[in-house]
Amino acid sequence: MNWPNAARDHDTACISCHTSLPYALARPALRGPLGEAGPTMHEETLVSGVERRVTLWNEVEPYYPDQTVGLPKTSESRGTEAVLNALILVGRDGQSAEPSERTRKALANLWALQFTRREGTGAWAWLHFGLAPWESDGAEYFGAALAAIAVGSASGDYAEREAPQDRLDLLRAYLLDDWRSRPVFDRVMLAWASAELSGLLTLEETGAVAAELGTLQNTDGGWSLSSLRAWPREDGSAQDLSSDGYATGLVAFVLQRAAASRSDPGLNRALQWLIEHQDPAGGGWSTASLNKDRDPKSDRGRFMSDAATAFAVLALAEADRVR
């Protein structure tokens, strides 16, 4: 939040898929284990910034305006932000009886920007800077899955009672279109979405995704992100095929939410991998950049590890929750 590159107008910050969003998703999971009575100061600051941007939606500048970055960055910024804002505020509502006023506004912004005709129908414009896995070719599917997770997990049975059903049908159709041929990373996101929103994968289909993931699990119990999709590095260097915190945390979390029982041997090996590979000094989990051979201690070099740490937390917290 203090990083100058993330600063935006109206005293707000860009919500990033690599750091801010994973933090917003995972930090509440630590509240119980740490005996905290409520959100931390950093959570409050992040959420208040999101609420401010939702309230001032027609006044705030897009994350990346066309005038300074080039076409079509305004539409990509709006579509991406609409999904991330909704997901964060839905998570903030937690188990409340119904969505808050600002959450309903965020969800309304989301539906207003959904494509309803031609290519991409059912999805949203998504930021593309050539940066895998969140801002590169095919990342709009990742964004649509996040939208489904937001809508499906909104309180008060929002998906059944308040969401525009014709738009939900478009979203489901987009996510299910030829889903078996999509990269494994996309199918992991679809399995997660299916755990939150009805009308997507069946339990049998989710089980098939889980079985395929079992064939990709490394002998040490973890997964490598680069094995879930072909992401060529721009500098020509070879991808890191060793197990990493992002892939292992994400897969272990999604398996628990969507398919695997706590007694599943592959899941238990993954959870053990996470326990054994936390950095004892920094507290996090590491993952190498998919885009180039980066210094892991640089700002950009830490982005993947920010996300890895969040998903490791989610996976381990979910294991504790259902134990």
Side-chain angles (χ1 to χ4, degrees), residues 29 252-258 262 271 312-323:
F253 171 67
V254 172
L255 286 178
Q256 292 177 94
R257 296 291 293 169
R262 185 62 179 82
L271 294 172
V313 164
L314 286 169
L316 293 170
E318 185 71 11
D320 279 346
R321 188 183 68 82
V322 300
R323 185 169 56 189

Side-chain angles (χ1 to χ4, degrees), residues 219-232:
T219 56
D220 63 3
W223 279 270
S224 167
L225 189 57
S226 59
S227 73
L228 304 183
R229 182 174 186 146
W231 281 297

Side-chain angles (χ1 to χ4, degrees), residues 213-224 241-243 265-266 269-270 273 276-277:
L213 287 167
T215 68
L216 297 174
Q217 190 171 18
N218 290 332
T219 56
D220 63 3
W223 279 270
S224 167
L241 296 177
S242 59
S243 298
R269 290 197 300 124
W273 187 95
E276 294 174 355
H277 286 81

Side-chain angles (χ1 to χ4, degrees), residues 56 91 106 110-111 136 168 172 193 198 207-208 223 236 245 268 309 314 321:
L56 302 174
L110 176 149
W111 293 123
S136 58
L168 263 179
R172 290 187 178 106
S198 64
W223 279 270
N268 279 301
T309 298
L314 286 169
R321 188 183 68 82

